[in-house]
Amino acid sequence: MKILTLLGSSRREGNTEYLVHQIMDGVQHTELFLGDYKLDPIIDERHSEKGFSPSADDYEWVLEQLLAHDIIIFATPVYWFGMSAQMKIFFDRWSQYLRDERFNMKDSLREKQAYVVTAGGSNPHITALPLIQQFGHIFDFVGMTYTDYVIANAVKPGEIKSDLLALEKAKQWNAHFKTLT
Amino acid sequence: MKILTLLGSSRREGNTEYLVHQIMDGVQHTELFLGDYKLDPIIDERHSEKGFSPSADDYEWVLEQLLAHDIIIFATPVYWFGMSAQMKIFFDRWSQYLRDERFNMKDSLREKQAYVVTAGGSNPHITALPLIQQFGHIFDFVGMTYTDYVIANAVKPGEIKSDLLALEKAKQWNAHFKTLT
Amino acid sequence: MKILTLLGSSRREGNTEYLVHQIMDGVQHTELFLGDYKLDPIIDERHSEKGFSPSADDYEWVLEQLLAHDIIIFATPVYWFGMSAQMKIFFDRWSQYLRDERFNMKDSLREKQAYVVTAGGSNPHITALPLIQQFGHIFDFVGMTYTDYVIANAVKPGEIKSDLLALEKAKQWNAHFKTLT
Amino acid sequence: MKILTLLGSSRREGNTEYLVHQIMDGVQHTELFLGDYKLDPIIDERHSEKGFSPSADDYEWVLEQLLAHDIIIFATPVYWFGMSAQMKIFFDRWSQYLRDERFNMKDSLREKQAYVVTAGGSNPHITALPLIQQFGHIFDFVGMTYTDYVIANAVKPGEIKSDLLALEKAKQWNAHFKTLT
C-alpha cells in the first residue's frame, strides 16, 4: 500500500503538518506540499464546445502522484470553517480531469482510501464538522473510502502539542500504517 | 442600503449568475465578478514576527467595495460540495485584513447583512448543506447577519430556468430589495 | 400514487399542520396524527435471543398505513433542533419491524418518495439543517427517495401565515400532487 | 464538581453504557438510566391560555437531578441517526420547565458543562454528525458549555471493546474527571 500525504496549508511547519508528521513517523510515504506547485484555479468549461483548455501549470504532475498511491491523507488547516483555498483549487480541477481520457481517474479513485487531517480554532470539534461532511460528500461522489479523520484544536504555532487526543489518534494511525508498508 | 453582489463562479453567465441577475433585476447595486480581479491565495503569516507581506494584487480594492456596502450577496456555484476556490481565496485573506488597522473590518462587518446564492447538482438541497452551514459559521464569527440563502438545482447551462422554487425565491428577494434602494 | 401525511406534532392545529394542509388542499390523501395512537418507545432487543417482544399498542396499524402509500409527508415541528419525540418513537420502532417477516418493509420503503415539512424558530433555516440531514441519512439507509423538504419559520400560533416562501413552496407542491392523484 | 450521567439507551448494558462506565471508572458520580423512569412526551401548551398541565410522571424528579449537578454526560445510542426517543422526550419537556418558576432552569443550565457519548453503526463518524450538531444547537440555546463528545463505532453487544480510539478518549476523560471530584 503506497501512502501519499497532501499538505494544503499556506505555510510550512504549522500544526496540521506537525500532526501529519507524527502520523507518518517512520512510515514510508510520499509528501506533497501543494504550495510548492503552480496550481491554477479551474476555469469551468464543462459546457463549452471545445472543452477545457490546457493549463500551463503543475496540476497534471500532482494528479499523477495522487493516482499512483493507494492511501491519501488530505491535510488542511481549518481556514474560515473550510479547507484552504490551495486545497480547494486542487479539488475543483478534478471536474476537468475526470473527463480527460488520458487519466483513468474514476476507476482509480474508487480503489483508494482517504483520511482527513485538520487543525483549527473556534471550537473546531463542532465548527469544522461541515468541512468533515464536505469531504464525506466528495469521497462518496467518486467512490473513495472515507476511512477516518482527525480534528485538532490548534491555532498558534506549537499548540498541537497540547491536543493529547489528536496526538493519540496520530499514534494509532501510525501503528496501523506501519503494518501496511 | 447599498447592495453588492460578489460572483465567485469561474465562468460568466452560469446558473448562479442568472439567479443573481433575477434577484437584482431593476435593483440598484454593484456587481463584482471575482474572476475579473487578481486575488492571491493567503500566505498565512499571522504568527510570523513581521506579519503579512503586502500582495501586489487587487485584493484591497475588492475589500474596499465589500466594506462600502450594507448588504452582500455571496454567489458561488457548488463546486465539490463547497464554495469555489475563487471565493475561498477571498475569504481566506480576511485573516490578513482583520488585523490591518487601515481597514476597520471587524466593526464594519458587524453592520452588514449577508445572503448566499448557490447552484449545483448531485442533490444540492441536501449535499450543499455543509456549505450553507460553513457560511453560517463565517457570518457568526464576524457578526454579520445571515439573512437568507437559496440553493438552486442546476448544472447545465440554462437549467436554472427549470428550478421554479429558486426563481420564486429570487422574485421575493427582488421585491424586498426594491423596497430598500 | 397514494399519499400519506404523518403529523408528529404534540398538539393539533399548529404551524406545521397548517402548512401540511395547504400542501394537501384539494389533494386526496390519508392523514395520520401520531398523537392519536398509542406508540411505545422501542425496547431494543435486536441482540437478545428471543428477539423483540410484541407491544400492545397501535404501532402495527400505523406501520401498515405507511406501507400502503407511495408518497409520505413526514411533518414535525422543530423541537430542540430535532424531530418531535413522538415522531422519533415512530422511527425507532423501524429497527424492530425491518426484521419482522410479516411486513416486507425493506422492499416496500425503497419504492417510496419522502417529503419533510417542518416549522420552528431560532433561525430554523440554519439550525434545523441537522434535522434535514438526519432525514437524509434515514432515507438513504432504507432507500427511500428524499424528494424535497420545507423549513418554515414559525413558532407562535398562526405565524406560518407570514412565511411567504414556505407558503409558496406549499402551493407548488400542491400543484404537483394534484397531477398525481 | 458534581457529575451526572444520563443514560438514554433503551436497554441496559449496551455499548454506550459500557463506554460511560469506562469514563466514570473510579469517579464519584450519579447515574440515571432514563428508562427506569416514567417520562411522558410533551403536550405542547406553550400557546394555550392555561399553560402546561402537570404530568403525573417522574419528570420533575429527574430534572432536579440534572439541575443539582455541574457536569452532565448525555449518553445515547445513535438510533436512526439521532438520539433515542427516550432522551428526546427528556429534552422536549425542557420547553415546559424553562417557563416554570419553581425551577430556575435558565440560570442553572448556563453554569453547566455538557459531554455527549454516543455509539452506533453505519459509519457513525460521519452519519452521527447531525446528532453532534443538534446537541451543539441545544447547548448553545441554553448557554451550556459543550466541552466534548465521543462517537463510538459499535452496534453488536461488546463491539465497543474494539473501538480503541473511543476507549482511549474514555481514559483521558476519566483522568480529567478524577482531578475534579
Side-chain angles (χ1 to χ4, degrees):
Chain A
M1 302 282 270
K2 298 171 72 183
I3 306 179
L4 173 71
T5 61
L6 268 186
L7 307 182
S9 306
S10 74
R11 63 182 170 92
R12 296 303 310 236
E13 299 183 10
N15 289 303
T16 309
E17 181 172 335
Y18 180 89
L19 192 56
V20 170
H21 288 169
Q22 297 299 110
I23 292 166
M24 288 294 124
D25 185 40
V27 178
Q28 199 187 335
H29 71 285
T30 307
E31 174 177 300
L32 288 186
F33 183 76
L34 290 177
D36 287 343
Y37 302 92
K38 183 173 187 300
L39 303 176
D40 296 331
I42 200 168
I43 305 298
D44 183 4
E45 298 178 294
R46 281 177 292 174
H47 312 295
S48 74
E49 271 181 44
K50 62 178 169 37
F52 285 96
S53 312
S55 195
D57 66 359
D58 304 320
Y59 196 83
E60 297 192 2
W61 186 85
V62 173
L63 182 62
E64 280 162 4
Q65 300 305 307
L66 177 82
L67 298 179
H69 290 77
D70 308 297
I71 293 175
I72 317 295
I73 317 280
F74 294 95
T76 174
V78 189
Y79 283 162
W80 292 97
F81 310 101
M83 67 177 75
S84 69
Q86 284 87 348
M87 183 161 277
K88 191 58 177 23
I89 286 172
F90 178 74
F91 278 109
D92 283 1
R93 293 281 293 283
W94 281 18
S95 298
Q96 176 177 354
Y97 286 96
L98 277 167
R99 57 194 68 204
D100 187 323
E101 292 174 2
R102 293 171 301 148
F103 303 85
N104 190 10
M105 267 189 83
K106 276 187 195 175
D107 291 342
S108 174
L109 290 177
R110 267 198 290 272
E111 305 294 320
K112 298 190 195 308
Q113 292 176 39
Y115 289 77
V116 170
V117 177
T118 193
S122 303
N123 199 11
H125 292 283
I126 299 298
T127 58
L129 294 185
L131 173 58
I132 297 301
Q133 292 176 318
Q134 178 187 5
F135 274 113
H137 288 311
I138 291 173
F139 300 144
D140 267 5
F141 187 81
V142 297
M144 292 177 81
T145 302
Y146 195 168
T147 313
D148 207 354
Y149 61 84
V150 56
I151 302 171
N153 190 343
V155 177
K156 292 184 189 157
E159 271 191 348
I160 183 69
K161 291 174 195 171
S162 307
D163 188 337
L164 301 183
L165 278 169
L167 295 175
E168 175 62 31
K169 201 161 188 176
K171 215 163 93 184
Q172 293 194 20
W173 289 12
N174 179 264
H176 172 65
F177 289 145
K178 277 181 171 154
T179 68
L180 299 180
T181 53
Chain B
M1 302 281 269
K2 298 171 72 184
I3 304 179
L4 174 70
T5 60
L6 268 185
L7 306 183
S9 305
S10 75
R11 63 180 172 92
R12 297 302 311 235
E13 300 184 11
N15 289 302
T16 309
E17 181 172 334
Y18 180 89
L19 191 56
V20 171
H21 288 169
Q22 297 299 110
I23 292 167
M24 289 294 125
D25 185 41
V27 177
Q28 198 187 336
H29 71 286
T30 307
E31 172 178 301
L32 288 186
F33 183 76
L34 291 177
D36 286 344
Y37 303 92
K38 184 173 185 300
L39 303 175
D40 296 330
I42 200 168
I43 304 299
D44 183 5
E45 298 179 294
R46 280 177 293 174
H47 313 295
S48 73
E49 273 182 41
K50 61 177 170 37
F52 286 95
S53 314
S55 195
D57 66 359
D58 303 321
Y59 195 84
E60 296 192 2
W61 186 86
V62 174
L63 182 62
E64 281 162 4
Q65 300 306 306
L66 178 81
L67 298 178
H69 290 77
D70 307 297
I71 293 175
I72 317 294
I73 316 280
F74 295 95
T76 173
V78 189
Y79 283 163
W80 292 96
F81 310 102
M83 66 178 74
S84 69
Q86 284 87 348
M87 183 161 277
K88 190 61 178 25
I89 286 171
F90 178 73
F91 279 109
D92 283 1
R93 292 281 293 282
W94 281 18
S95 298
Q96 176 178 354
Y97 286 96
L98 277 168
R99 57 195 66 203
D100 187 322
E101 292 174 1
R102 293 173 301 149
F103 303 84
N104 188 11
M105 266 189 83
K106 276 189 197 175
D107 290 342
S108 173
L109 290 178
R110 266 197 291 272
E111 306 295 320
K112 297 190 194 311
Q113 290 177 40
Y115 289 77
V116 171
V117 177
T118 193
S122 303
N123 200 9
H125 292 283
I126 299 297
T127 58
L129 295 185
L131 173 59
I132 298 301
Q133 292 176 318
Q134 178 187 4
F135 275 114
H137 289 310
I138 291 173
F139 301 143
D140 267 5
F141 187 82
V142 297
M144 293 176 81
T145 302
Y146 195 167
T147 313
D148 207 353
Y149 61 84
V150 56
I151 302 171
N153 190 344
V155 178
K156 292 185 190 155
E159 272 191 347
I160 184 68
K161 291 173 195 170
S162 308
D163 188 338
L164 301 183
L165 279 168
L167 295 175
E168 176 61 31
K169 201 161 189 175
K171 216 163 92 183
Q172 294 194 16
W173 290 13
N174 178 264
H176 172 66
F177 289 145
K178 277 182 172 155
T179 68
L180 300 179
T181 53
Chain C
M1 301 283 268
K2 298 171 73 185
I3 306 180
L4 174 71
T5 59
L6 268 186
L7 307 183
S9 306
S10 74
R11 63 180 171 93
R12 297 302 310 236
E13 298 183 12
N15 288 303
T16 309
E17 182 172 332
Y18 180 90
L19 192 55
V20 171
H21 288 169
Q22 297 299 110
I23 292 166
M24 288 295 124
D25 185 41
V27 178
Q28 198 189 337
H29 72 286
T30 308
E31 174 177 300
L32 288 186
F33 183 76
L34 290 177
D36 287 343
Y37 303 92
K38 183 171 186 303
L39 303 176
D40 296 331
I42 200 168
I43 305 298
D44 183 4
E45 298 179 293
R46 281 177 294 173
H47 312 296
S48 73
E49 270 181 44
K50 60 177 171 35
F52 285 95
S53 313
S55 196
D57 65 358
D58 303 321
Y59 195 83
E60 296 192 4
W61 186 85
V62 174
L63 183 62
E64 280 162 5
Q65 301 305 308
L66 178 81
L67 298 179
H69 291 78
D70 306 298
I71 293 176
I72 318 295
I73 317 281
F74 295 95
T76 173
V78 189
Y79 284 163
W80 292 96
F81 310 103
M83 67 178 75
S84 69
Q86 284 87 348
M87 183 162 276
K88 190 59 177 26
I89 286 172
F90 178 73
F91 279 109
D92 283 2
R93 293 280 294 281
W94 281 17
S95 298
Q96 176 178 354
Y97 286 96
L98 277 166
R99 56 194 68 204
D100 187 323
E101 292 174 2
R102 292 172 299 150
F103 302 85
N104 189 11
M105 267 188 83
K106 275 188 197 175
D107 290 343
S108 173
L109 291 177
R110 265 198 292 273
E111 305 296 319
K112 298 189 193 312
Q113 291 178 40
Y115 289 77
V116 171
V117 177
T118 192
S122 303
N123 200 9
H125 292 283
I126 299 298
T127 58
L129 294 185
L131 172 58
I132 297 302
Q133 292 176 318
Q134 178 187 5
F135 275 113
H137 289 310
I138 291 173
F139 301 143
D140 267 5
F141 188 81
V142 296
M144 291 176 81
T145 302
Y146 195 167
T147 313
D148 207 353
Y149 61 84
V150 57
I151 301 171
N153 190 344
V155 177
K156 292 184 189 155
E159 272 191 349
I160 183 69
K161 291 174 195 168
S162 307
D163 188 337
L164 301 183
L165 278 169
L167 295 175
E168 176 61 30
K169 201 161 189 175
K171 213 163 94 183
Q172 294 194 19
W173 289 14
N174 177 263
H176 172 64
F177 289 144
K178 277 182 173 154
T179 68
L180 299 179
T181 52
Chain D
M1 302 282 268
K2 297 171 73 184
I3 306 180
L4 174 70
T5 59
L6 267 186
L7 307 183
S9 306
S10 74
R11 62 179 171 95
R12 297 302 310 236
E13 300 183 10
N15 289 302
T16 309
E17 182 173 333
Y18 180 90
L19 191 56
V20 171
H21 288 169
Q22 296 300 109
I23 292 167
M24 289 294 125
D25 185 40
V27 177
Q28 200 187 333
H29 72 286
T30 307
E31 174 177 300
L32 288 186
F33 183 76
L34 291 177
D36 287 343
Y37 302 93
K38 183 171 187 300
L39 303 175
D40 296 331
I42 199 168
I43 304 299
D44 183 4
E45 299 178 293
R46 280 177 294 174
H47 312 296
S48 73
E49 272 182 42
K50 63 177 169 36
F52 285 95
S53 313
S55 195
D57 65 358
D58 303 320
Y59 195 84
E60 296 192 3
W61 186 86
V62 174
L63 183 62
E64 281 163 5
Q65 299 306 307
L66 178 83
L67 298 178
H69 290 78
D70 307 297
I71 294 176
I72 317 295
I73 317 281
F74 294 95
T76 173
V78 189
Y79 284 162
W80 292 96
F81 310 101
M83 66 178 74
S84 68
Q86 284 87 348
M87 182 161 277
K88 190 59 178 22
I89 287 172
F90 178 74
F91 279 110
D92 283 2
R93 293 281 293 281
W94 281 18
S95 298
Q96 176 178 355
Y97 286 96
L98 278 167
R99 57 194 67 202
D100 187 323
E101 293 175 1
R102 293 172 300 148
F103 302 85
N104 189 9
M105 267 189 82
K106 276 189 196 174
D107 290 343
S108 173
L109 290 178
R110 266 198 291 274
E111 305 295 320
K112 297 189 195 310
Q113 290 177 39
Y115 289 77
V116 170
V117 177
T118 192
S122 302
N123 199 11
H125 292 283
I126 299 299
T127 57
L129 294 184
L131 173 58
I132 297 302
Q133 292 176 318
Q134 179 187 5
F135 275 113
H137 288 310
I138 291 173
F139 301 144
D140 267 5
F141 188 81
V142 296
M144 292 176 82
T145 303
Y146 195 169
T147 313
D148 207 353
Y149 61 84
V150 56
I151 302 171
N153 190 343
V155 178
K156 291 185 190 156
E159 271 191 350
I160 183 68
K161 291 174 194 170
S162 307
D163 188 337
L164 301 182
L165 279 167
L167 295 176
E168 176 62 31
K169 202 161 188 174
K171 214 163 95 183
Q172 294 194 19
W173 289 13
N174 179 263
H176 172 65
F177 289 145
K178 278 183 171 152
T179 68
L180 300 179
T181 52

